[in-house]
Amino acid sequence: MPSTRMISLYSCIGMLVLSASFPLPGGATEVRPFSGNETHPLIHLIAQSPPPTSIRNIRALRHKQYTRVVLDLTRPIHPAPQEHQTATTFQLELPNTQLDKSTVAKSTGDSFPLQLDLSTTSSGSILLTLPIGGWKHYKWYVLNNPARVVLDLYPMAEAAVVIKAPPSSTPASQVGPPPTPPPPIIKKDLVIVIDPGHGGKDPGALGRKGTREKDVVLHIANHLRDLLAKEGSTKVFMTRETDVFIELEDRATFANTRKADLFVSIHINSHPQASVKGMELYHFGEASDPRALAVAARENGTPLEKNAAPWQFILADKLNDKKIDDSRELAWTTKNSLVKFLDAFYKIKDHGIKTAPFFVLRMTTMPAILAEIAFISNSTEEKLLQSSTYQKRVAEGIFNGLQSYITPLQTASR
Ligand SMILES: [Zn+2]
């Protein structure tokens, strides 16, 4: 671990070199055309300056119009990636970057849906190489919070299958074999389990005006169920539809036995400081900060220290990578839609996506998220939580997010 002084010196060198050579406004991504086998001398200099980033994970998701490849990084990438193209390949060079063995294993594994190659160059870059065949065009961009490089690949239009009825005047003997009919469209109903937190003897968090978490989340869940039920292609189940107490374990078992595709748990946050407000969405993982751990401990109903070693919890039976990736994607999609929708009506403080060892997220086998809608301990948000209009809008925001997540899944399952 370099000292703080070293880090600031590194960033200083990085900044100087970057601003002297690539004057980009607002941290925009630079795309520099590649010319032959040259390596820009600055690349060597920069590669020695800031600490390298590491590709800690690779994900691929098929959407309706494109396939998205995401490279999750341990820190923002500097300098910007460069693209190179040959007659048969497209390459994205990530300077000053390292590769986790698990990432390579994942990208070459059977379950990874497309062919690509990740290799290390002598100048300390990672080269992502894709065969061009099959892709019409691509877009890539660098995003932060969390640091990642996103590559969207647009496939060639599939060769159109034209099926024509033979002209009625043509004798049948001259027609030849009938064209093969297109495969039938099989659309699987997605199963969604909505989990309104608490209930019965467990009121959940309480507001100063007496608002109870268990009541508000049930209202929101009921609205969400109604919205999803209107969509013919989803089956919705609720872990509770009335004010009853249900163990966390039974909630997870309920979703698992119904073979749910998605699990959405709805909760309301609380904080000792009344000024704290806002929304945050969780998926399972090590607590992203001490407060995330406190939130999970409260929702799990266990003392804080019992929640402190989530990675042992994961490693014990290897939570599958796909579930973690999909849950993260589900959390982002839902949070973005929810915040965007509510922003039109209210001032929403967006705390973003966090991870924490929530029991229901750990014990469910499908992509699972837990939404902490607002803080019942904040008087403004408690008032909002009591409003039936607000409850409906929250449901609608979550519904929009689920729809954006579901649509590519339904397309892919055809
Ligand atoms: Zn709760």
Side-chain angles (χ1 to χ4, degrees):
M1 213 26 212
S3 70
T4 316
R5 182 181 295 221
M6 287 294 277
I7 291 172
S8 59
L9 182 63
Y10 284 156
S11 13
C12 205
I13 293 168
M15 290 292 284
L16 279 172
V17 174
L18 275 171
S19 60
S21 50
F22 315 127
L24 293 170
T29 307
E30 183 207 40
V31 182
R32 180 186 280 266
F34 183 65
S35 48
N37 293 322
E38 74 177 48
T39 307
H40 199 288
L42 280 174
I43 298 294
H44 291 296
L45 181 56
I46 294 164
Q48 288 162 11
S49 309
T53 184
S54 217
I55 305 176
R56 59 178 175 81
N57 188 25
I58 184 165
R59 305 179 265 144
L61 267 158
R62 282 188 198 282
H63 289 265
K64 197 172 180 179
Q65 263 111 26
Y66 55 87
T67 294
R68 173 166 290 176
V69 178
V70 183
L71 303 169
D72 292 304
L73 307 172
T74 51
R75 57 166 64 232
I77 186 164
H78 284 298
Q82 303 188 15
E83 63 175 45
H84 317 309
Q85 199 164 330
T86 70
T88 54
T89 63
F90 160 71
Q91 293 185 322
L92 194 61
E93 181 176 351
L94 307 155
N96 195 23
T97 301
Q98 298 167 346
L99 201 50
D100 279 7
K101 271 188 189 143
S102 59
T103 305
V104 181
K106 195 173 167 189
S107 71
T108 52
D110 286 344
S111 59
F112 199 73
L114 76 162
Q115 189 200 338
L116 56 78
D117 179 67
L118 289 167
S119 60
T120 308
T121 71
S122 55
S123 60
S125 298
I126 295 300
L127 208 52
L128 181 155
T129 307
L130 271 163
I132 283 178
W135 304 114
K136 188 170 53 179
H137 66 270
Y138 52 82
K139 283 195 295 201
W140 62 272
Y141 34 97
V142 176
L143 297 170
N144 285 325
N145 292 323
R148 59 207 194 276
V149 174
V150 177
L151 174 65
D152 288 342
L153 301 156
Y154 293 78
M156 300 275 188
E158 282 173 41
V161 181
V162 182
I163 301 168
K164 277 186 189 161
S168 53
S169 58
T170 316
S173 59
Q174 290 178 18
V175 173
T180 316
I185 292 169
I186 302 160
K187 202 168 156 201
K188 179 183 162 280
D189 277 353
L190 283 173
V191 178
I192 299 178
V193 168
I194 307 171
D195 174 44
H198 315 276
K201 66 179 183 185
D202 169 18
L206 300 171
R208 286 175 176 76
K209 291 258 160 30
T211 316
R212 300 180 301 185
E213 177 181 0
K214 67 170 184 176
D215 301 325
V216 178
V217 294
L218 184 58
H219 290 310
I220 295 173
N222 281 336
H223 291 309
L224 178 60
R225 175 203 53 205
D226 294 346
L227 288 168
L228 286 164
K230 278 188 207 154
E231 294 294 306
S233 55
T234 39
K235 270 197 197 128
V236 191
F237 297 104
M238 305 257 286
T239 52
R240 68 178 179 100
E241 293 190 299
T242 54
D243 184 17
V244 287
F245 176 77
I246 297 168
E247 295 285 358
L248 295 176
E249 197 178 332
D250 294 336
R251 294 170 193 256
T253 308
F254 178 88
N256 294 344
T257 51
R258 271 156 194 79
K259 296 197 165 41
D261 294 293
L262 303 177
F263 180 84
V264 182
S265 192
I266 302 173
H267 287 258
I268 308 291
N269 228 328
S270 178
H271 196 276
Q273 254 174 287
S275 58
V276 176
K277 52 201 244 172
M279 167 185 302
E280 54 203 21
L281 254 78
Y282 285 88
H283 63 93
F284 184 82
E286 188 174 14
S288 21
D289 54 57
R291 201 173 61 71
L293 186 60
V295 173
R298 179 166 48 73
E299 302 292 12
N300 289 344
T302 47
L304 200 56
E305 61 272 19
K306 282 202 174 167
N307 294 277
W311 290 113
Q312 288 164 16
F313 205 13
I314 295 179
L315 293 172
D317 58 349
K318 286 186 185 161
L319 192 67
N320 107 25
D321 272 357
K322 180 152 168 48
K323 180 190 156 161
I324 297 179
D325 288 353
D326 289 352
S327 299
R328 183 188 298 127
E329 198 67 30
L330 177 63
W332 275 102
T333 315
T334 307
K335 196 274 292 175
N336 288 345
S337 294
L338 184 52
V339 170
K340 192 175 160 199
F341 185 75
L342 292 181
D343 255 349
F345 307 99
Y346 316 98
K347 214 166 167 261
I348 300 294
K349 172 114 180 69
D350 174 9
H351 293 291
I353 301 302
K354 296 186 172 187
T355 52
F358 288 95
F359 186 88
V360 287
L361 300 184
R362 174 62 191 89
M363 300 317 285
T364 40
T365 52
M366 70 292 312
I369 54 169
L370 186 145
E372 295 279 355
I373 301 299
F375 282 82
I376 210 164
S377 43
N378 176 273
S379 59
T380 314
E381 296 205 330
E382 182 182 6
K383 204 180 251 177
L384 274 183
L385 288 164
Q386 291 171 331
S387 141
S388 132
T389 310
Y390 175 81
Q391 293 166 1
K392 281 183 188 153
R393 284 173 177 160
V394 168
E396 200 166 341
I398 298 175
F399 170 76
N400 293 346
L402 295 179
Q403 284 298 99
S404 338
Y405 181 85
I406 287 168
T407 309
L409 290 185
Q410 287 178 327
T411 313
S413 71
R414 287 183 180 192

